[in-house]
Amino acid sequence: MSQIAKEFGIDKALKELGLKDINNGTSTGKDFFSNGEIIESYSPVDGALIGKVKATTKEDFEKVISTASEGFKEWRTLPAPQRGEVVRKFNDELRRLKEPLGKLVSYEMGKSYQEGLGEVQEMIDICDFAVGLSRQLHGLTMHSERPGHRMYEQYHPLGVVGVISAFNFPVAVWSWNTALAWVCGDACIWKGSEKTPLTSVACQNIAARVFSENGVPEGISCLITGDHTVGEMMTKDERVPLISATGSTRMGKIVAKEVAGRLGKTLLELGGNNAIIVTPDANIKNTVIGAVFGAVGTCGQRCTSTRRLIVHEDIYDKVKDAVVKAYGQLRIGNPLDENNHVGPLIDKDSVKNYLNALKKVEEEGGKVLVEGGVLEGEGYESGCYVKPAIAEAENHFEIVQHETFAPVLYIMKYKGDVTDALKLQNGVRQGLSSAIMTNNLREAERFLSVEGSDCGISNVNIGTSGAEIGGAFGGEKDTGGGRESGSDAWKVYMRRQTNTINYTTELPLAQGIKFDL
Ligand code: NAD
């Protein structure tokens, strides 16, 4: 155990979460023997080895998929409110283990402890939502055009749902999918990120215990672990009708093609390139809070992180100076220490991408306003701590058109009205989150109108970062088009069936066709 791990009680958290020195990365909910390769998980906080997890082999996967498929046959017959009751009990355990799980998320992923707790809270919230939903999985009733007929639609569970998740939300994304899929009557197989394998094992431990105590069939919550090759076992398998994949656009394009090739369904939650438009009517103080939190929170590693600030020329200097000044107050360091605002990047590859973005923006003619760089010395031994940077840039720069998953904020000027700002905002391939800061009703409404923001999430007077679980979450264009979490996102985990019942003694045929026997 490293000094930081001891000081912040990581060993106690690992014990409470049932983690061992070597953990099984494959699980159907019961004991499982695997010969898988060992993945070591190092903390970006201090570079220390946290634990080891055995990856999933092809043979393991075969056992997982057959157990999940069998378990589904029984689980689907349980009334949905009873499935909801199991999710409620799972949620009780999440509430009890919120602190150790939040701590592990922070230590293994590098986000602040507060954000780690916030992520577990999102799990709790979506489970609450799912419990209510378990009594509301309703379809419509329509009037039949034929006399003596009744027509309605109902939703049945889909089957085995595959969930592939990214490192930056190592626990919440799993529950956004599974809490809904479970009440819908599906079995779930989760492939978490190979960069955060211990948090995945910790979550599966909780689900496995609660499910077994409540007589849930084996295989309803399964875990597989490893890199893209393990993900591919699931995307290629016809026994998995839906793949919900969260991660980079690069990954999403590969997964979409693979699953479409076998006519499976996908729910894709991919990269963003999110902007805040700041109009002359904006509240500057709130703009600075929203922009700084959005750009440096989770060290710029949220899909909804603010990457571009599009500011009207009349207030450009004022906003620029205020944001630059705020960056001067940021404290970078151990994310478990609540005094720090910014933790580390996930690994050294991410550091490389960050440095490359800073180099490229200058090569393309941008001007660095707040200098970046890698921090060294005491407290920064992992080599993953970087300074949040700001650069003046043009929207058409190649580097600005890309999502750099790091704390680099591009600031740019617009002239004219909100339509001109929207051209810049919408002028990228990604379409996840967007925001406008304005007290002008006309500007706000134009931003939200059909000719306004083309993103899945569009906010007025709050930043781009984060979302509530009650709304459907996701984005357009290169963000993949998927929606998960609240609203009617549950429908993707079910299949719709239209039923027509004839309660007469006749069989009238459509289009007036007569077929007398
Ligand atoms: P990544 O694409 O490298 O990996 C994500 C997951 O996909 C991992 O589990 C990985 O093993 C798996 N994977 C990769 N290639 C695969 C393949 N060919 N087949 C099957 N599985 C495969 O992403 P990352 O670096 O972990 O996460 C950062 C990215 O995720 C960013 O682009 C971010 O914007 C995005 N993200 C999006 C959302 C959203 O809701 N839109 C949420 C979180 C993260």
Side-chain angles (χ1 to χ4, degrees):
M1 265 298 126
S2 72
Q3 192 52 40
I4 284 185
K6 271 188 208 145
E7 193 182 329
F8 290 91
I10 298 298
D11 45 351
K12 187 168 163 254
L14 295 179
K15 250 185 232 140
E16 284 179 279
L17 296 167
L19 291 163
K20 306 177 194 128
D21 289 340
I22 299 182
N23 300 277
N24 209 340
T26 310
S27 164
T28 55
K30 289 216 170 114
D31 286 343
F32 198 100
F33 178 76
S34 166
N35 272 326
E37 275 177 33
I38 300 278
I39 299 177
E40 295 184 324
S41 178
Y42 292 90
S43 169
V45 175
D46 56 6
L49 178 67
I50 320 172
K52 298 177 185 175
V53 179
K54 275 194 210 168
T56 302
T57 63
K58 274 210 164 113
E59 206 180 27
D60 295 341
F61 179 73
E62 197 46 48
K63 275 190 228 162
V64 167
I65 183 84
S66 53
T67 312
S69 304
E70 272 309 300
F72 165 69
K73 287 185 195 156
E74 192 182 329
W75 181 239
R76 67 183 173 182
T77 62
L78 210 70
Q82 283 182 37
R83 298 193 292 254
E85 177 62 8
V86 173
V87 171
R88 191 189 64 72
K89 287 183 174 150
F90 169 68
N91 202 8
D92 287 345
E93 278 300 278
L94 288 178
R95 284 191 159 89
R96 188 176 71 79
L97 294 166
K98 182 174 172 182
E99 284 191 17
L101 190 53
K103 212 169 256 185
L104 178 61
V105 167
S106 170
Y107 191 55
E108 194 176 38
M109 185 274 157
K111 63 175 66 176
S112 76
Y113 179 43
Q114 288 311 308
E115 287 176 319
L117 290 175
E119 205 183 322
V120 183
Q121 186 59 45
E122 282 189 31
M123 301 175 82
I124 293 169
D125 293 344
I126 193 72
C127 285
D128 279 345
F129 182 92
V131 175
L133 188 67
S134 70
R135 291 181 184 272
Q136 299 175 70
L137 302 170
H138 40 223
L140 298 172
T141 302
M142 301 85 174
H143 286 262
S144 170
E145 65 188 27
R146 287 167 279 188
H149 283 59
R150 185 164 76 82
M151 183 159 66
Y152 74 105
E153 65 184 14
Q154 59 175 333
Y155 288 84
H156 290 309
L158 259 189
V160 177
V161 171
V163 179
I164 296 173
S165 62
F167 78 85
N168 65 327
F169 276 92
V171 295
V173 167
W174 171 65
S175 60
W176 287 2
N177 285 281
T178 52
L180 300 195
W182 285 331
V183 298
C184 289
D186 299 315
C188 296
I189 304 178
W190 179 24
K191 196 204 84 63
S193 168
E194 60 273 37
K195 297 180 183 175
T196 51
L198 288 165
T199 47
S200 305
V201 174
C203 290
Q204 171 66 9
N205 284 350
I206 301 172
R209 195 177 56 248
V210 174
F211 283 18
S212 139
E213 283 166 8
N214 288 280
V216 173
E218 186 185 355
I220 299 310
S221 180
C222 296
L223 176 70
I224 56 175
T225 299
D227 61 12
H228 65 100
T229 54
V230 176
E232 282 162 11
M233 294 179 197
M234 208 156 58
T235 57
K236 287 178 192 297
D237 200 304
E238 286 185 348
R239 290 167 289 181
V240 186
L242 169 69
I243 296 282
S244 169
T246 300
S248 58
T249 298
R250 189 197 60 79
M251 175 278 291
K253 285 184 176 169
I254 298 171
V255 168
K257 211 169 158 190
E258 190 69 62
V259 180
R262 59 177 176 83
L263 298 183
K265 291 206 233 178
T266 47
L267 189 175
L268 299 173
E269 298 283 352
L270 311 174
N273 192 350
N274 319 297
I276 302 180
I277 294 173
V278 190
T279 83
D281 277 306
N283 174 318
I284 305 286
K285 185 174 150 242
N286 290 349
T287 299
V288 174
I289 295 171
V292 176
F293 172 71
V296 310
T298 326
C299 199
Q301 299 171 108
R302 286 189 181 205
C303 47
T304 54
S305 290
T306 307
R307 313 236 172 255
R308 297 174 296 142
L309 206 53
I310 303 169
V311 188
H312 192 269
E313 60 178 348
D314 288 355
I315 49 158
Y316 184 77
D317 287 336
K318 204 171 163 187
V319 172
K320 182 178 81 175
D321 293 347
V323 175
V324 168
K325 190 168 164 221
Y327 267 51
Q329 294 164 30
L330 294 175
R331 283 188 299 272
I332 307 158
N334 172 12
L336 289 157
D337 180 343
E338 282 174 37
N339 292 314
N340 292 323
H341 301 113
V342 186
L345 287 173
I346 184 70
D347 56 21
K348 292 202 178 137
D349 279 347
S350 270
V351 173
K352 249 191 246 164
N353 286 340
Y354 155 87
L355 290 172
N356 181 48
L358 292 178
K359 197 170 134 232
K360 278 207 98 175
V361 71
E362 282 199 290
E363 280 171 9
E364 289 193 73
K367 183 177 160 206
V368 171
L369 299 175
V370 173
E371 245 182 77
V374 184
L375 292 161
E376 287 169 1
E378 203 188 325
Y380 302 127
E381 288 86 353
S382 70
C384 296
Y385 290 88
V386 301
K387 293 189 216 162
I390 304 180
E392 252 172 345
E394 302 279 338
N395 203 53
H396 62 81
F397 287 0
E398 210 212 322
I399 191 65
V400 176
Q401 292 283 314
H402 278 89
E403 178 196 43
T404 301
F405 219 51
V408 180
L409 178 65
Y410 302 114
I411 180 164
M412 57 196 77
K413 212 180 264 185
Y414 80 91
K415 297 179 181 164
D417 65 13
V418 73
T419 316
D420 300 287
L422 277 162
K423 269 188 207 145
L424 296 175
Q425 192 221 266
N426 294 342
V428 292
R429 277 301 312 150
Q430 307 82 351
L432 181 53
S433 185
S434 58
I436 189 168
M437 303 302 273
T438 182
N439 286 324
N440 181 320
L441 182 68
R442 285 204 185 102
E443 285 178 337
E445 289 292 341
R446 262 163 77 194
F447 172 76
L448 299 174
S449 77
V450 63
E451 293 167 308
S453 166
D454 63 5
C455 293
I457 297 164
S458 299
N459 299 329
V460 176
N461 290 332
I462 54 170
T464 60
S465 182
E468 292 184 31
I469 63 101
F473 181 85
E476 304 300 332
K477 304 193 297 191
D478 273 4
T479 304
R483 291 296 185 279
E484 63 190 18
S485 190
S487 186
D488 65 351
W490 60 271
K491 288 183 178 167
V492 76
Y493 305 97
M494 304 199 86
R495 60 185 170 88
R496 187 196 312 230
Q497 189 175 65
T498 304
N499 307 117
T500 312
I501 301 155
N502 172 8
Y503 57 89
T504 69
T505 53
E506 308 294 318
L507 180 53
L509 298 178
Q511 293 146 6
I513 294 170
K514 293 245 179 329
F515 194 69
D516 293 328
L517 289 176

